[in-house]
Amino acid sequence: MSTQSRTSGGVKVGDQAPDFSLPTSTGEEVSLKSLLGQKNIVLYFYPKADTPGCTAEACSFRDSYEVFKEAGAEVIGVSSDSSEDHDKFAKRYSLPFILASDKTGALRKSYGVPATFGLLPGRVTYIIDKQGVVQHVFSSQFAPQKHVDEALKVLRELA
């Protein structure tokens, strides 16, 4: 169930990534615009903090975070969890990357992230280059750790 591009009106490869400004686990704001020109972005949407699949995915990103940094990328995880819940999640698992709170689901909607079975928020990773162009889209609800492998493969190709 992996896709290189979105269907049904979502953000796809070659599109300009929608900008955003969201609160993070540290209480600060993160925006795409503030990172453009400096780093490639790994923007990954996940259903809910502290659930088995999301914890496995986050820990995979954590375990490879130095590799992402060496590749000139910043990792941003997004869910509808509150900043406080993200803070607890980040501390509990020593997550060094940014966790952003999309409480209303507006960012998820602007990217066209689908719901699984119409209920569960989707798990999709977008690789956005320094110019803000989407270079890769990977969607797999049931292979959370594969998101890291896919992201690293694409970042190596961009380098």
Side-chain angles (χ1 to χ4, degrees):
M1 179 173 166
S2 101
T3 56
Q4 293 255 348
S5 63
R6 303 279 331 123
T7 56
S8 67
V11 172
K12 46 192 175 310
V13 172
D15 288 352
Q16 192 70 30
D19 192 20
F20 58 85
S21 183
L22 295 173
T24 69
S25 59
T26 63
E28 298 171 13
E29 292 273 318
V30 64
S31 69
L32 179 61
K33 184 171 37 180
S34 70
L35 297 169
L36 292 180
Q38 304 170 45
K39 300 178 180 196
N40 294 310
I41 308 298
V42 177
L43 182 68
Y44 84 94
F45 290 87
Y46 63 98
K48 183 153 181 56
D50 261 331
T51 57
C54 297
T55 299
E57 181 179 28
C59 290
S60 291
F61 275 111
R62 175 200 64 204
D63 295 347
S64 296
Y65 187 63
E66 287 303 315
V67 180
F68 282 105
K69 282 176 46 180
E70 288 167 12
E74 183 56 68
V75 176
I76 303 172
V78 178
S79 76
S80 61
D81 294 298
S82 69
S83 294
E84 296 79 20
D85 287 341
H86 277 141
D87 186 48
K88 290 176 193 166
F89 186 49
K91 287 177 177 167
R92 183 172 185 187
Y93 295 102
S94 302
L95 305 177
F97 51 85
I98 298 166
L99 293 178
S101 180
D102 182 26
K103 288 288 288 175
T104 66
L107 185 62
R108 183 177 291 276
K109 186 174 183 180
S110 74
Y111 274 77
V113 177
T116 302
F117 306 124
L119 300 168
L120 189 62
R123 183 183 315 278
V124 181
T125 299
Y126 297 85
I127 308 302
I128 303 165
D129 69 18
K130 293 177 185 176
Q131 290 72 46
V133 177
V134 176
Q135 295 296 323
H136 187 73
V137 179
F138 180 72
S139 178
S140 176
Q141 187 74 322
F142 303 108
Q145 291 154 311
K146 189 159 188 217
H147 288 255
V148 172
D149 297 335
E150 285 285 316
L152 286 172
K153 182 178 96 181
V154 174
L155 288 169
R156 287 184 186 113
E157 291 169 4
L158 289 176

